[in-house]
Amino acid sequence: DAENALILAGEAYKIGQMKARMDSNIPMETRELALNGGDLAKLGVAPGPKMGEILKNLLEAVWRGEVENEKTALAAYMKKDC
């Protein structure tokens, strides 16, 4: 029926979006970022909750297309926006 067709179309769309993310090298988790906690420590960020918050913010910025998942770009973004 029409309702099931809409549900299936929605699921197909979600799967397509996930595949596009995987194919485009967009990280799904903070551990997949090109910049890690060790890099943040070298930039003067103390280990702790703030470091995790910065990594989460960087991940979300990559998802929004505001910054590339590249170490130099992430470091510059972090200094400017996190």
Side-chain angles (χ1 to χ4, degrees):
D1 68 350
E3 185 177 342
N4 284 336
L6 285 175
I7 292 170
L8 289 174
E11 292 302 312
Y13 176 79
K14 289 178 190 175
I15 290 168
Q17 292 289 18
M18 289 182 348
K19 184 174 180 339
R21 274 191 179 171
M22 289 186 288
D23 290 346
S24 67
N25 195 32
I26 294 176
M28 300 301 288
E29 300 179 25
T30 57
R31 66 186 173 148
E32 298 171 350
L33 286 168
L35 191 77
N36 61 35
D39 298 317
L40 291 181
K42 290 176 187 173
L43 295 170
V45 178
K50 181 67 176 171
M51 185 178 281
E53 182 180 322
I54 290 171
L55 289 169
K56 181 179 175 223
N57 289 341
L58 289 172
L59 179 64
E60 291 173 357
V62 171
W63 288 349
R64 290 189 301 269
E66 296 173 5
V67 63
E68 293 293 319
N69 185 26
E70 191 275 324
K71 191 177 285 198
T72 305
L74 290 168
Y77 185 91
M78 187 270 308
K79 289 177 183 177
K80 185 177 99 157
D81 293 311
C82 290

